[in-house]
Amino acid sequence: MTAVTQVGKGIKPEGRASRAIPATAWLVVPTGLFFVIFFVLPFALMALLSILSGNPLTQSNVGFTSRSYERFAADPLYLEALWETLWLGGLTTLAALLMGYPIALWLARMRSKTGYTLLLMAVVAPMLTGIVVRTFAWMTILSDKGVINVSLASLGLIDRPLPLMYNAFGTIVALVHIYVPFMVLTLAGVIGRIDHRLEEAAISLGANRFRAFLEVTLPLSLPGILAGSLLVFALTISAYVTPYLMGGSRVLTLPMLIYQQVSASFNIAFAATLGVVLLAVSLVLLMAYNRIISQVSGREDLA
Amino acid sequence: MKGRLRDLDIGATAFRALNIAILVFLLGPLAIVAVFAVNPLPYISFPPVGLTTRWFEKFFASEAFVNGLLLSLKIAVIVTIISGLLGAAAAIALARGRIPGAKLLISAFLAPLMLPAILTGFAIFQCLITLGIGRPIWALVVGHIIVAVPYVIRTTLAVLSDFDKRIEEAASLFGATPPRVFFEVTLPLIRPGVIAGCIFAFITSFDQFPVSLFLVSPGNETLPIVMFNYMKFDLDGALAAASMVSILISLAVVLTVDRLVGLRATMNL
C-alpha cells in the first residue's frame, strides 16, 4: 500500500507503490548507529582480540596468532567446560519443555478471559523477578538447612540432609525455574494458532482425548517445541549466576570460565576466545530459532 | 459413552493437578523468600518462628545495599527513557519506512535477547580496556540499553502490525500533514506498545545481572551485583529483604503504569 506520509507530493494510486523511501525510514538511524557502535563493533573486536597476540593500541609488533584456539582445543579442562555447558543446557531445556508444555496447553486452550489473564500473570510474575533473587530463593529451599531438608528431617524421613545443592541437580532446578516462562510463552503462541477443531474432529471420529492430543495437537505444535527449546537452550548456556551459586565447585561452565579468565588470570585474549566459542554456538541457535519462528508466523517478532 | 466420559474426567483432573503443581513450582519460591524476609532467625532456616522487620532495617542501614538500590533505580530510569525513544523510533521506521531488508534488521535488533548477555557486557568491557577508558557508568547504561531496546522494538512492532495502516492514510486524505499524522494518529496508536516495552526495559535494567557483571566498577555496583557478592559469603534475612525490596519496586512500576494508562490493552500482545 502506498505510504501516505508523502501526501504533500500527491497520493499515488493504490497498487502502484512508489519506490521512494518515506521520511519515517530515517527514524531507524539513531538506533542503528547505537547498535553498530555498542553491539556489532564490540563483538567484532572480541573476535579480533581472540586472534591477535596483544593490544594493537599499546603494543607494537602485534600479529595474528591461533594460540588461544590451540590452547582451547588442547586442554581437556576447556573442552569439558564446553561439554558441561551444553549438557546442562540440554537437561534444563528438556525439563523446561516437560513443565512448560502442560501450562502452555492450558493457557492456549483457556476460554475464560479472566482465567487467561490470571494464568498469564502467574507465568510472567517470576520474570519480573531478577535471576539473583530467584537463585537466592532456590538456595533457601535446597540448601542443607533449607525448606526441603528441614521438613524431611522433622518428619523423620532422613537423618542427613540430602545433597540438593552445590551440584548439577540444584543448578538445573533453579535454571528450569528461571527459563520455563520463556518456554511457556513460545509454546502457547504456537499452540494458540492450531485450529481447535482439528482435535475435536479427531475426538468425534472416535479417538479419545489423549490420543487426539498425541496424534493431532502434539505434532502440529512441533515448531513451538523446537523454537522454545532453542530459546531456553541459548539462554541456559549463557547463564552465570545460577551455575556459580547453585553448582558450588562441582559445576564449571563456559561463562564462568570467561569471568575467571578476566578476573583471576587477566587474560582478556583467552576470555575473548572462549567468548567466540560461546557466541558461535549461540548464533547457530539464534538463526535456527528465527527460521522456525518466521515459518510458523510469517513474522519474526514473536517470542 | 459413559465409560469414555469417566476417562475424560480422570484425564482432565490429572491435567489440572499437574498444572497446579507446576504453578506451585513457579510461584512457591517467591512466597518462601517473602517468609524469610520477616522471619527473625539469624540464618535462613525453616520453619519460620515469628515476625520481624530487622532484615529490612539491616538492608536500609547497609550503605552497600542502599547505594546499589539507588544506582540501579537511577540507571533503570535513564535506560527506560533512552530505550523507549530509540526503540519506538526504530519500530516506526521498520514498520512504515519500507526499508529494504527490514526483516533482517529486525532480527539484528532482537538478537541481544537471545545472544549471551554476559558476552554483551564482556564485549563492551574489552573495548573499554583496549581503548584504555576504564569502566565509566555510561558504559553500564549503554550495555543495559542494548538488552532493553529489543523489548520496546518488539512490543511497538506488535502494535504497529495490529492496527490498520489505512487509519493513517485516511488522516492524510483528509488533509493532515505528515507530521500531524505522525503526532496525532500514529503516536497515540502505538502508545500502549511503547509503554509495555518500557516496562520490560525498566525491569530488564533494574534486575540486570549478566550485562552488569563486567561493567560495574568498585563503588559503582548495582543492587543485583551487591546481592550476588553478599551471597558468596553469607545467606541471611537481609538478602530476603533485598529480594522483597526489588520485587516490590518492579511490582510498583507495573501497577503504577497500569493505574495511569491501563495495561489490559498492552498485555494481550
Side-chain angles (χ1 to χ4, degrees):
Chain A
M1 207 161 281
T2 324
V4 204
T5 30
Q6 298 179 313
V7 80
K9 294 171 194 161
I11 300 157
K12 304 226 163 71
E14 210 177 319
R16 280 178 53 209
S18 104
R19 281 291 169 93
I21 288 173
T24 37
W26 293 101
L27 286 170
V28 83
V29 171
T31 318
L33 277 178
F34 192 90
F35 264 67
V36 168
I37 297 171
F38 297 114
F39 188 64
V40 179
L41 286 180
F43 273 103
L45 184 72
M46 178 178 92
L48 187 65
L49 275 187
S50 75
I51 51 169
L52 284 182
S53 57
N55 181 347
L57 289 183
T58 54
Q59 292 160 278
S60 52
N61 284 334
V62 172
F64 290 103
T65 169
S66 62
R67 66 169 182 216
S68 292
Y69 289 93
E70 281 160 22
R71 182 175 163 201
F72 179 81
D75 193 332
L77 171 77
Y78 304 121
L79 290 174
E80 267 167 35
L82 173 63
W83 176 241
E84 181 151 26
T85 310
L86 299 177
W87 177 78
L88 267 180
L91 280 181
T92 304
T93 305
L94 188 66
L97 178 62
L98 293 177
M99 285 198 147
Y101 203 103
I103 295 276
L105 191 63
W106 194 19
L107 192 63
R109 293 275 183 263
M110 185 79 80
R111 291 206 193 96
S112 123
K113 192 90 186 149
T114 325
Y116 178 84
T117 310
L118 280 176
L119 186 57
L120 186 66
M121 274 164 61
V123 172
V124 176
M127 294 171 94
L128 300 182
T129 323
I131 45 174
V132 178
V133 170
R134 279 187 279 169
T135 304
F136 168 69
W138 281 103
M139 293 174 90
T140 68
I141 295 170
L142 298 180
S143 71
D144 285 358
K145 287 183 186 165
V147 176
I148 291 179
N149 273 320
V150 170
S151 307
L152 289 178
S154 68
L155 291 171
L157 292 172
I158 51 170
D159 310 324
R160 268 178 309 164
L162 297 172
L164 301 173
M165 212 176 93
Y166 299 126
N167 52 30
F169 173 79
T171 310
I172 291 171
V173 169
L175 283 171
V176 169
H177 182 248
I178 291 169
Y179 296 120
V180 153
F182 294 90
M183 181 70 89
V184 173
L185 294 180
T186 313
L187 276 172
V190 174
I191 298 174
R193 282 164 208 260
I194 300 172
D195 195 337
H196 202 183
R197 286 169 300 182
L198 290 173
E199 200 174 306
E200 277 158 19
I203 291 170
S204 71
L205 289 172
N208 65 32
R209 210 159 173 167
F210 183 65
R211 194 162 155 222
F213 163 75
L214 217 59
E215 293 187 15
V216 178
T217 309
L218 189 63
L220 285 172
S221 64
L222 206 62
I225 294 178
L226 276 174
S229 301
L230 287 167
L231 178 64
V232 170
F233 189 77
L235 293 170
T236 309
I237 60 170
S238 67
Y240 173 84
V241 189
T242 312
Y244 183 100
L245 291 170
M246 300 297 293
S249 54
R250 293 228 181 84
V251 174
L252 185 64
T253 63
L254 225 43
M256 289 162 79
L257 268 180
I258 293 173
Y259 190 71
Q260 244 179 37
Q261 285 300 319
V262 173
S263 65
S265 318
F266 306 105
N267 191 342
I268 294 193
F270 192 59
T273 306
L274 296 171
V276 170
V277 173
L278 184 61
L279 182 66
V281 177
S282 306
L283 275 176
V284 171
L285 296 168
L286 174 68
M287 284 189 292
Y289 172 85
N290 276 344
R291 215 190 147 130
I292 293 164
I293 290 293
S294 70
Q295 273 172 359
V296 175
S297 57
R299 258 175 38 190
E300 284 174 31
D301 51 333
L302 178 135
Chain B
M1 190 65 205
K2 222 172 179 184
R4 192 194 291 166
L5 249 176
R6 199 173 300 139
D7 273 359
L8 211 150
D9 279 344
I10 292 168
T13 312
F15 180 64
R16 195 152 304 161
L18 176 66
N19 273 316
I20 286 165
I22 297 170
L23 282 183
V24 169
F25 171 81
L26 276 177
L27 299 174
L30 304 181
I32 286 171
V33 171
V35 170
F36 282 128
V38 293
N39 182 19
L41 287 174
Y43 287 94
I44 293 302
S45 54
F46 198 76
V49 294
L51 270 177
T52 177
T53 57
R54 69 179 270 203
W55 300 119
F56 285 93
E57 284 158 24
K58 186 172 177 186
F59 174 84
F60 283 108
S62 147
E63 208 181 320
F65 274 135
V66 172
N67 285 344
L69 174 64
L70 292 178
L71 182 67
S72 282
L73 280 174
K74 218 184 302 173
I75 289 179
V77 170
I78 300 171
V79 167
T80 305
I81 294 169
I82 301 178
S83 305
L85 292 172
L86 285 178
I92 291 170
L94 290 164
R96 295 287 186 264
R98 280 183 289 132
I99 301 170
K103 253 191 147 177
L104 207 69
L105 261 180
I106 293 174
S107 337
F109 285 139
L110 299 185
L113 292 183
M114 214 174 148
L115 294 182
I118 192 168
L119 289 184
T120 303
F122 172 71
I124 296 173
F125 164 79
Q126 41 101 40
C127 277
L128 299 172
I129 296 296
T130 309
L131 297 170
I133 296 177
R135 279 177 285 179
I137 292 194
W138 63 258
L140 191 58
V141 173
V142 162
H144 283 201
I145 292 173
I146 291 288
V147 289
V149 165
Y151 288 105
V152 184
I153 292 183
R154 197 164 65 184
T155 51
T156 311
L157 274 179
V159 176
L160 276 166
S161 71
D162 271 355
F163 84 74
D164 200 324
K165 219 176 188 174
R166 278 172 297 188
I167 301 175
E168 288 159 306
E169 292 176 348
S172 59
L173 272 175
F174 283 109
T177 56
R180 208 166 153 214
V181 173
F182 180 77
F183 283 106
E184 293 186 15
V185 181
T186 314
L187 224 48
L189 280 169
I190 63 168
R191 213 177 65 146
V194 178
I195 289 167
C198 282
I199 295 175
F200 283 120
F202 181 90
I203 288 165
T204 301
S205 169
F206 184 66
D207 286 336
Q208 187 54 238
F209 183 89
V211 174
S212 306
L213 181 64
F214 281 104
L215 296 175
V216 294
S217 52
N220 282 322
E221 281 150 338
T222 57
L223 184 59
I225 301 280
V226 176
M227 287 178 69
F228 175 69
N229 290 335
Y230 194 97
M231 277 159 85
K232 287 186 201 165
F233 304 106
D234 208 353
L235 282 183
D236 69 12
L239 277 168
S243 302
M244 286 323 288
V245 168
S246 86
I247 292 175
L248 290 176
I249 287 176
S250 298
L251 202 63
V253 168
V254 174
L255 292 180
T256 311
V257 174
D258 183 38
R259 186 52 72 78
L260 289 178
V261 290
L263 276 183
R264 234 153 273 270
T266 62
M267 273 321 265
N268 274 337
L269 289 173

